[in-house]
Amino acid sequence: MASEIRPVFFISDGTGLTAEGLGQALLSQFENITFEKTTLPYVDSVEKAKKAVIEINAAGDQSQTTPIVFDTIVNQEVRDVLANCDGFLVDIFQTFLKPLERELRQSSSYSVGMSHAVAPDGQYSRRIDAVNFALDNDDGARIRYYDQADMILIGVSRSGKTPTSLYLAMQYGLKVANYPLTEDDLDDDALPETLRKYKNKLFGLTIDPERLQAIREMRRPDSRYASLKQCQYEVNEVESLYRRHAIPFLSSTERSVEEISARILQVTGKRKSAR
Amino acid sequence: MASEIRPVFFISDGTGLTAEGLGQALLSQFENITFEKTTLPYVDSVEKAKKAVIEINAAGDQSQTTPIVFDTIVNQEVRDVLANCDGFLVDIFQTFLKPLERELRQSSSYSVGMSHAVAPDGQYSRRIDAVNFALDNDDGARIRYYDQADMILIGVSRSGKTPTSLYLAMQYGLKVANYPLTEDDLDDDALPETLRKYKNKLFGLTIDPERLQAIREMRRPDSRYASLKQCQYEVNEVESLYRRHAIPFLSSTERSVEEISARILQVTGKRKSAR
């Protein structure tokens, strides 16, 4: 079957993240089609909706197909405008709100933007505090605040600790420090002194040695640090350290930051609350 | 109306982020109900689905209500098990896949986890590279790589530059440096030397002076830095700098990192592609 090109629009009265997230997941189920994706956030007035309709129709004319439109707009008036476009509308909210209203025996609030309201101040601050905590306690830079950490990620250099710490902070508001296990740590059978009393907060990352080599090679080409032999040695040692001390761990190879984070929370049960 | 408590489950064969995102947005439309939320990620086998059913039914028994279940499971066999739970099922994929299959004249791939496959290696690396770029070029630490930056965020200390840079990197794969505008910069009518030749990459953040004071007060209590007078002075100066040089800017006050990021991309048109 020849490859086909379809324009896709994610339209929202907020950031567009929900429409994108659901839309992408659905579209990934269809192969052989190239989707040309456009996100139109903050479409929160009739005027903006009219502009969106013009853009959608133009994309349809140009591609000679029907654009797919995922929308999460709450306001009825704005949605009515959008309903007149030439696209195939996947009206995410409308589809589910009615059955939910029946089940919950309550009308939903249809005010614009309500669904995208800023989280209560406490929760927002919690996430920013957590990001700052991750930055301040990155890469073993400071260890004296480990008592305040929700979790301490450990692993060899370039195994994915920093992005994972930041994602856990940003998405889940968790305070995650990270500590790099170096050759000195690995030569010893015991856990590094610094970590010993926080054993229940430790989570290990590991990585495929070949992948590690490729990553380190970009950072410091032709170094001992980036040699396959060194990578194999460190990964072997770190995995036996995890096993010896019964520290839960997983591999970051071939996994996105989202997936590593979700799996860590599943294993540790440290998800504080859904966003 | 008395406050009611409802258990809610987000169930996925992947991270659960899509089910959470859509579910939270929908539930935020209902007031007066307290939702007790649980996310069950990686439910990718019949056995795990049976465990989930037990958990859902137990929550229903305990709360004496029908739990709401949002699911994005692709595999039919796993979904069949879940369909037998006592919850009110919002089957996100099933609802939309059928109409999309008709519109796209193609069957979707129903293999487990397909919808949550890791992004192609290039895209994944791009995001990690972008996070590293944000960290290396944080807070004016290094300026010699500004030519490689997709964007340079500027603003006074504690106006939200770092979390925003990191979010833009993590979510959109953008290389975002950030540069703090200090009193020295603000006393001058001209743009700081360092920034002058990257004028088209600049985006400004501002913040309500009272909010800035509160944030700085937590960092350095009773300092000149945290005084309301100083905050007002800096914010005034920075906003006139933005206006004088026609630098686009927005206020981070009362906005989540997601919202600030989405609005910056909307204004600058720098969204490389939807995730």
Side-chain angles (χ1 to χ4, degrees), chain A residues 82-130:
Chain A
L82 203 60
N84 287 320
C85 78
D86 299 338
F88 177 82
L89 221 64
V90 181
D91 190 337
I92 299 172
F93 273 18
Q94 177 75 343
T95 307
F96 292 123
L97 277 177
K98 286 289 157 200
L100 275 173
E101 284 181 343
R102 275 194 298 275
E103 170 59 33
L104 295 169
R105 296 180 304 281
Q106 198 179 108
S107 296
S108 59
S109 32
Y110 268 78
S111 54
V112 177
M114 272 298 286
S115 65
H116 305 277
V118 178
D121 195 57
Q123 200 179 354
Y124 176 61
S125 303
R126 197 187 81 190
R127 289 168 59 204
I128 298 295
D129 286 350

Short mmCIF file of all heavy atoms in Angstrom, two decimals, chain A residues 82-130:
data_model
loop_
_atom_site.label_atom_id
_atom_site.label_comp_id
_atom_site.label_asym_id
_atom_site.label_seq_id
_atom_site.Cartn_x
_atom_site.Cartn_y
_atom_site.Cartn_z
N LEU A 82 -15.82 25.29 15.21
CA LEU A 82 -14.90 24.25 14.76
C LEU A 82 -15.63 23.12 14.03
O LEU A 82 -15.12 22.52 13.09
CB LEU A 82 -14.14 23.69 15.97
CG LEU A 82 -12.80 23.02 15.68
CD1 LEU A 82 -11.84 24.01 15.05
CD2 LEU A 82 -12.21 22.45 16.95
N ALA A 83 -16.86 22.86 14.50
CA ALA A 83 -17.64 21.76 13.93
C ALA A 83 -17.92 21.99 12.44
O ALA A 83 -18.21 21.04 11.71
CB ALA A 83 -18.94 21.60 14.70
N ASN A 84 -17.80 23.22 11.99
CA ASN A 84 -18.06 23.54 10.58
C ASN A 84 -16.86 23.35 9.66
O ASN A 84 -16.95 23.65 8.47
CB ASN A 84 -18.55 24.98 10.46
CG ASN A 84 -19.97 25.11 10.97
OD1 ASN A 84 -20.79 24.24 10.72
ND2 ASN A 84 -20.24 26.18 11.69
N CYS A 85 -15.73 22.90 10.20
CA CYS A 85 -14.56 22.73 9.33
C CYS A 85 -14.73 21.48 8.47
O CYS A 85 -15.62 20.66 8.69
CB CYS A 85 -13.28 22.65 10.16
SG CYS A 85 -13.00 21.05 10.92
N ASP A 86 -13.86 21.36 7.48
CA ASP A 86 -13.94 20.21 6.57
C ASP A 86 -13.27 18.96 7.16
O ASP A 86 -13.24 17.92 6.51
CB ASP A 86 -13.24 20.52 5.24
CG ASP A 86 -13.89 21.70 4.52
OD1 ASP A 86 -15.07 21.97 4.81
OD2 ASP A 86 -13.22 22.32 3.68
N GLY A 87 -12.69 19.08 8.34
CA GLY A 87 -11.94 17.96 8.91
C GLY A 87 -12.82 16.87 9.51
O GLY A 87 -14.02 17.05 9.69
N PHE A 88 -12.17 15.73 9.81
CA PHE A 88 -12.83 14.65 10.53
C PHE A 88 -12.59 14.91 12.01
O PHE A 88 -11.48 14.81 12.51
CB PHE A 88 -12.22 13.31 10.11
CG PHE A 88 -12.78 12.14 10.86
CD1 PHE A 88 -13.99 11.56 10.48
CD2 PHE A 88 -12.10 11.60 11.94
CE1 PHE A 88 -14.50 10.48 11.18
CE2 PHE A 88 -12.60 10.52 12.65
CZ PHE A 88 -13.81 9.96 12.26
N LEU A 89 -13.67 15.28 12.71
CA LEU A 89 -13.52 15.76 14.08
C LEU A 89 -13.53 14.65 15.12
O LEU A 89 -14.49 13.86 15.16
CB LEU A 89 -14.66 16.75 14.37
CG LEU A 89 -14.29 18.00 15.15
CD1 LEU A 89 -13.31 18.87 14.38
CD2 LEU A 89 -15.54 18.79 15.49
N VAL A 90 -12.52 14.58 15.93
CA VAL A 90 -12.51 13.68 17.07
C VAL A 90 -12.68 14.56 18.30
O VAL A 90 -11.72 15.14 18.82
CB VAL A 90 -11.20 12.86 17.13
CG1 VAL A 90 -11.23 11.90 18.32
CG2 VAL A 90 -10.99 12.09 15.84
N ASP A 91 -13.90 14.69 18.75
CA ASP A 91 -14.23 15.63 19.82
C ASP A 91 -14.09 14.91 21.16
O ASP A 91 -15.03 14.29 21.66
CB ASP A 91 -15.66 16.13 19.60
CG ASP A 91 -15.99 17.29 20.52
OD1 ASP A 91 -15.33 17.42 21.57
OD2 ASP A 91 -16.90 18.05 20.20
N ILE A 92 -12.90 15.01 21.71
CA ILE A 92 -12.53 14.17 22.85
C ILE A 92 -13.41 14.42 24.07
O ILE A 92 -13.92 13.50 24.70
CB ILE A 92 -11.04 14.38 23.19
CG1 ILE A 92 -10.19 13.98 21.96
CG2 ILE A 92 -10.65 13.59 24.41
CD1 ILE A 92 -8.72 14.32 22.09
N PHE A 93 -13.58 15.68 24.42
CA PHE A 93 -14.36 15.99 25.62
C PHE A 93 -15.83 15.62 25.47
O PHE A 93 -16.42 14.98 26.32
CB PHE A 93 -14.23 17.47 25.96
CG PHE A 93 -13.05 17.75 26.82
CD1 PHE A 93 -12.03 16.83 26.92
CD2 PHE A 93 -12.95 18.92 27.54
CE1 PHE A 93 -10.92 17.07 27.73
CE2 PHE A 93 -11.86 19.17 28.35
CZ PHE A 93 -10.85 18.24 28.44
N GLN A 94 -16.41 16.11 24.38
CA GLN A 94 -17.83 15.89 24.14
C GLN A 94 -18.17 14.40 24.23
O GLN A 94 -19.16 14.02 24.84
CB GLN A 94 -18.17 16.44 22.74
CG GLN A 94 -19.60 16.21 22.31
CD GLN A 94 -20.56 17.17 23.03
OE1 GLN A 94 -20.23 17.78 24.05
NE2 GLN A 94 -21.77 17.25 22.52
N THR A 95 -17.31 13.59 23.63
CA THR A 95 -17.56 12.15 23.58
C THR A 95 -17.71 11.55 24.98
O THR A 95 -18.55 10.69 25.22
CB THR A 95 -16.40 11.44 22.86
OG1 THR A 95 -16.22 12.08 21.59
CG2 THR A 95 -16.67 9.97 22.67
N PHE A 96 -16.87 12.01 25.89
CA PHE A 96 -16.84 11.35 27.20
C PHE A 96 -17.61 12.09 28.29
O PHE A 96 -17.99 11.50 29.29
CB PHE A 96 -15.40 11.15 27.66
CG PHE A 96 -14.66 10.14 26.83
CD1 PHE A 96 -13.48 10.48 26.19
CD2 PHE A 96 -15.15 8.85 26.69
CE1 PHE A 96 -12.80 9.53 25.42
CE2 PHE A 96 -14.47 7.90 25.93
CZ PHE A 96 -13.30 8.25 25.29
N LEU A 97 -17.81 13.40 28.11
CA LEU A 97 -18.45 14.15 29.20
C LEU A 97 -19.89 13.72 29.44
O LEU A 97 -20.31 13.60 30.58
CB LEU A 97 -18.38 15.66 28.95
CG LEU A 97 -17.05 16.31 29.36
CD1 LEU A 97 -17.04 17.79 29.01
CD2 LEU A 97 -16.79 16.14 30.86
N LYS A 98 -20.63 13.50 28.37
CA LYS A 98 -22.05 13.13 28.54
C LYS A 98 -22.21 11.84 29.37
O LYS A 98 -22.94 11.83 30.35
CB LYS A 98 -22.74 13.00 27.18
CG LYS A 98 -23.01 14.32 26.50
CD LYS A 98 -24.13 15.11 27.19
CE LYS A 98 -23.99 16.59 26.86
NZ LYS A 98 -24.68 17.48 27.80
N PRO A 99 -21.54 10.75 28.96
CA PRO A 99 -21.67 9.53 29.78
C PRO A 99 -21.18 9.72 31.21
O PRO A 99 -21.77 9.18 32.15
CB PRO A 99 -20.81 8.50 29.04
CG PRO A 99 -20.30 9.15 27.80
CD PRO A 99 -20.81 10.53 27.71
N LEU A 100 -20.12 10.52 31.38
CA LEU A 100 -19.63 10.76 32.74
C LEU A 100 -20.65 11.56 33.56
O LEU A 100 -20.82 11.31 34.76
CB LEU A 100 -18.29 11.51 32.71
CG LEU A 100 -17.04 10.63 32.55
CD1 LEU A 100 -15.81 11.51 32.36
CD2 LEU A 100 -16.84 9.74 33.79
N GLU A 101 -21.30 12.50 32.93
CA GLU A 101 -22.32 13.28 33.64
C GLU A 101 -23.43 12.37 34.15
O GLU A 101 -23.90 12.52 35.27
CB GLU A 101 -22.91 14.35 32.70
CG GLU A 101 -21.98 15.53 32.49
CD GLU A 101 -22.58 16.60 31.59
OE1 GLU A 101 -23.56 16.30 30.87
OE2 GLU A 101 -22.07 17.72 31.59
N ARG A 102 -23.82 11.42 33.31
CA ARG A 102 -24.87 10.49 33.74
C ARG A 102 -24.39 9.64 34.92
O ARG A 102 -25.05 9.51 35.93
CB ARG A 102 -25.27 9.57 32.58
CG ARG A 102 -26.32 10.17 31.67
CD ARG A 102 -26.94 9.12 30.75
NE ARG A 102 -25.94 8.51 29.86
CZ ARG A 102 -25.57 9.03 28.70
NH1 ARG A 102 -26.12 10.15 28.26
NH2 ARG A 102 -24.66 8.44 27.95
N GLU A 103 -23.19 9.10 34.79
CA GLU A 103 -22.66 8.22 35.82
C GLU A 103 -22.45 8.98 37.14
O GLU A 103 -22.72 8.45 38.22
CB GLU A 103 -21.34 7.58 35.35
CG GLU A 103 -20.55 6.83 36.41
CD GLU A 103 -21.33 5.67 37.04
OE1 GLU A 103 -22.15 5.05 36.34
OE2 GLU A 103 -21.11 5.41 38.24
N LEU A 104 -21.99 10.21 37.05
CA LEU A 104 -21.71 10.98 38.26
C LEU A 104 -22.94 11.76 38.73
O LEU A 104 -22.90 12.42 39.77
CB LEU A 104 -20.54 11.94 38.01
CG LEU A 104 -19.18 11.26 37.74
CD1 LEU A 104 -18.15 12.28 37.25
CD2 LEU A 104 -18.66 10.56 39.00
N ARG A 105 -24.01 11.66 37.98
CA ARG A 105 -25.25 12.38 38.28
C ARG A 105 -24.97 13.86 38.60
O ARG A 105 -25.41 14.39 39.61
CB ARG A 105 -25.99 11.72 39.45
CG ARG A 105 -26.47 10.30 39.12
CD ARG A 105 -27.21 9.67 40.29
NE ARG A 105 -26.42 9.64 41.52
CZ ARG A 105 -25.46 8.74 41.76
NH1 ARG A 105 -25.19 7.80 40.89
NH2 ARG A 105 -24.79 8.77 42.89
N GLN A 106 -24.22 14.50 37.69
CA GLN A 106 -23.87 15.90 37.90
C GLN A 106 -23.54 16.52 36.55
O GLN A 106 -22.95 15.85 35.69
CB GLN A 106 -22.63 15.97 38.79
CG GLN A 106 -22.42 17.33 39.40
CD GLN A 106 -21.20 17.38 40.31
OE1 GLN A 106 -20.21 17.97 39.96
NE2 GLN A 106 -21.27 16.74 41.46
N SER A 107 -23.89 17.79 36.38
CA SER A 107 -23.48 18.47 35.16
C SER A 107 -22.03 18.89 35.29
O SER A 107 -21.56 19.19 36.37
CB SER A 107 -24.34 19.71 34.93
OG SER A 107 -25.66 19.32 34.71
N SER A 108 -21.34 18.92 34.18
CA SER A 108 -19.95 19.37 34.21
C SER A 108 -19.91 20.87 33.99
O SER A 108 -20.82 21.46 33.45
CB SER A 108 -19.15 18.65 33.14
OG SER A 108 -19.70 18.91 31.87
N SER A 109 -18.85 21.48 34.43
CA SER A 109 -18.72 22.93 34.22
C SER A 109 -18.12 23.18 32.85
O SER A 109 -17.03 22.72 32.56
CB SER A 109 -17.85 23.54 35.32
OG SER A 109 -16.87 22.64 35.75
N TYR A 110 -18.86 23.92 32.06
CA TYR A 110 -18.46 24.09 30.66
C TYR A 110 -17.72 25.40 30.40
O TYR A 110 -17.64 25.84 29.27
CB TYR A 110 -19.71 24.03 29.77
CG TYR A 110 -20.01 22.64 29.27
CD1 TYR A 110 -20.61 21.70 30.09
CD2 TYR A 110 -19.67 22.27 27.96
CE1 TYR A 110 -20.88 20.43 29.63
CE2 TYR A 110 -19.94 21.00 27.50
CZ TYR A 110 -20.54 20.10 28.34
OH TYR A 110 -20.80 18.84 27.88
N SER A 111 -17.22 25.99 31.46
CA SER A 111 -16.57 27.28 31.25
C SER A 111 -15.24 27.09 30.53
O SER A 111 -14.54 26.12 30.77
CB SER A 111 -16.33 27.96 32.59
OG SER A 111 -15.64 27.09 33.42
N VAL A 112 -14.89 28.00 29.69
CA VAL A 112 -13.64 27.90 28.94
C VAL A 112 -12.44 27.78 29.88
O VAL A 112 -12.34 28.52 30.85
CB VAL A 112 -13.40 29.16 28.08
CG1 VAL A 112 -12.04 29.05 27.36
CG2 VAL A 112 -14.50 29.32 27.09
N GLY A 113 -11.55 26.90 29.54
CA GLY A 113 -10.28 26.85 30.26
C GLY A 113 -10.35 26.16 31.61
O GLY A 113 -9.32 25.82 32.18
N MET A 114 -11.54 25.93 32.13
CA MET A 114 -11.65 25.27 33.43
C MET A 114 -10.81 23.99 33.49
O MET A 114 -10.19 23.69 34.49
CB MET A 114 -13.11 24.87 33.69
CG MET A 114 -13.94 25.92 34.34
SD MET A 114 -13.31 26.34 35.97
CE MET A 114 -13.85 24.87 36.90
N SER A 115 -10.83 23.26 32.42
CA SER A 115 -10.15 21.97 32.43
C SER A 115 -8.64 22.12 32.43
O SER A 115 -7.92 21.19 32.64
CB SER A 115 -10.56 21.15 31.21
OG SER A 115 -10.09 21.80 30.05
N HIS A 116 -8.20 23.35 32.15
CA HIS A 116 -6.76 23.54 32.07
C HIS A 116 -6.29 24.53 33.13
O HIS A 116 -5.26 25.16 32.98
CB HIS A 116 -6.38 24.04 30.68
CG HIS A 116 -6.88 23.12 29.60
ND1 HIS A 116 -6.18 21.99 29.23
CD2 HIS A 116 -7.99 23.14 28.87
CE1 HIS A 116 -6.87 21.36 28.28
NE2 HIS A 116 -7.97 22.03 28.04
N ALA A 117 -7.09 24.69 34.14
CA ALA A 117 -6.73 25.63 35.20
C ALA A 117 -5.37 25.26 35.78
O ALA A 117 -5.00 24.10 35.82
CB ALA A 117 -7.79 25.59 36.29
N VAL A 118 -4.64 26.27 36.18
CA VAL A 118 -3.37 26.02 36.85
C VAL A 118 -3.64 25.22 38.11
O VAL A 118 -4.63 25.44 38.80
CB VAL A 118 -2.70 27.36 37.22
CG1 VAL A 118 -1.40 27.12 37.95
CG2 VAL A 118 -2.46 28.19 35.98
N ALA A 119 -2.79 24.27 38.37
CA ALA A 119 -2.95 23.47 39.57
C ALA A 119 -2.89 24.38 40.79
O ALA A 119 -2.30 25.45 40.73
CB ALA A 119 -1.84 22.44 39.64
N PRO A 120 -3.52 23.98 41.89
CA PRO A 120 -3.47 24.79 43.09
C PRO A 120 -2.03 25.17 43.42
O PRO A 120 -1.12 24.39 43.18
CB PRO A 120 -4.03 23.87 44.17
CG PRO A 120 -4.78 22.81 43.45
CD PRO A 120 -4.23 22.73 42.08
N ASP A 121 -1.89 26.36 43.96
CA ASP A 121 -0.55 26.90 44.16
C ASP A 121 0.40 25.92 44.83
O ASP A 121 1.54 25.78 44.44
CB ASP A 121 -0.64 28.19 44.97
CG ASP A 121 0.67 28.95 44.88
OD1 ASP A 121 1.08 29.25 43.75
OD2 ASP A 121 1.29 29.19 45.92
N GLY A 122 -0.10 25.22 45.85
CA GLY A 122 0.75 24.30 46.58
C GLY A 122 1.38 23.26 45.67
O GLY A 122 2.57 22.98 45.74
N GLN A 123 0.56 22.72 44.78
CA GLN A 123 1.06 21.65 43.91
C GLN A 123 2.06 22.18 42.89
O GLN A 123 3.06 21.54 42.59
CB GLN A 123 -0.12 21.00 43.18
CG GLN A 123 0.24 19.63 42.66
CD GLN A 123 -0.94 18.98 41.96
OE1 GLN A 123 -2.04 19.51 41.97
NE2 GLN A 123 -0.69 17.84 41.35
N TYR A 124 1.77 23.39 42.38
CA TYR A 124 2.68 24.00 41.42
C TYR A 124 4.03 24.26 42.08
O TYR A 124 5.08 23.88 41.55
CB TYR A 124 2.07 25.29 40.89
CG TYR A 124 2.97 26.04 39.97
CD1 TYR A 124 3.40 25.46 38.78
CD2 TYR A 124 3.42 27.33 40.28
CE1 TYR A 124 4.24 26.13 37.93
CE2 TYR A 124 4.25 28.00 39.42
CZ TYR A 124 4.67 27.42 38.25
OH TYR A 124 5.50 28.09 37.41
N SER A 125 4.01 24.86 43.25
CA SER A 125 5.26 25.13 43.96
C SER A 125 5.99 23.83 44.24
O SER A 125 7.22 23.77 44.17
CB SER A 125 4.99 25.81 45.30
OG SER A 125 4.27 26.98 45.11
N ARG A 126 5.24 22.80 44.56
CA ARG A 126 5.87 21.52 44.89
C ARG A 126 6.70 21.03 43.71
O ARG A 126 7.82 20.54 43.89
CB ARG A 126 4.80 20.48 45.24
CG ARG A 126 5.35 19.27 45.97
CD ARG A 126 4.28 18.20 46.15
NE ARG A 126 4.14 17.41 44.95
CZ ARG A 126 3.16 16.52 44.74
NH1 ARG A 126 2.24 16.33 45.66
NH2 ARG A 126 3.10 15.84 43.62
N ARG A 127 6.16 21.18 42.51
CA ARG A 127 6.88 20.71 41.34
C ARG A 127 8.12 21.56 41.07
O ARG A 127 9.18 21.03 40.76
CB ARG A 127 5.95 20.70 40.12
CG ARG A 127 4.91 19.59 40.22
CD ARG A 127 3.83 19.74 39.19
NE ARG A 127 4.36 19.72 37.86
CZ ARG A 127 3.76 20.27 36.81
NH1 ARG A 127 2.61 20.89 36.94
NH2 ARG A 127 4.30 20.20 35.63
N ILE A 128 7.98 22.88 41.21
CA ILE A 128 9.14 23.75 40.99
C ILE A 128 10.20 23.49 42.06
O ILE A 128 11.40 23.41 41.77
CB ILE A 128 8.72 25.24 40.99
CG1 ILE A 128 7.75 25.51 39.85
CG2 ILE A 128 9.94 26.15 40.88
CD1 ILE A 128 8.33 25.35 38.46
N ASP A 129 9.76 23.33 43.30
CA ASP A 129 10.70 22.99 44.38
C ASP A 129 11.43 21.70 44.05
O ASP A 129 12.63 21.57 44.29
CB ASP A 129 9.96 22.80 45.71
CG ASP A 129 9.51 24.13 46.30
OD1 ASP A 129 9.93 25.18 45.77
OD2 ASP A 129 8.73 24.11 47.26
N ALA A 130 10.68 20.74 43.52
CA ALA A 130 11.28 19.45 43.21
C ALA A 130 12.32 19.59 42.10
O ALA A 130 13.39 18.97 42.14
CB ALA A 130 10.20 18.44 42.83
#
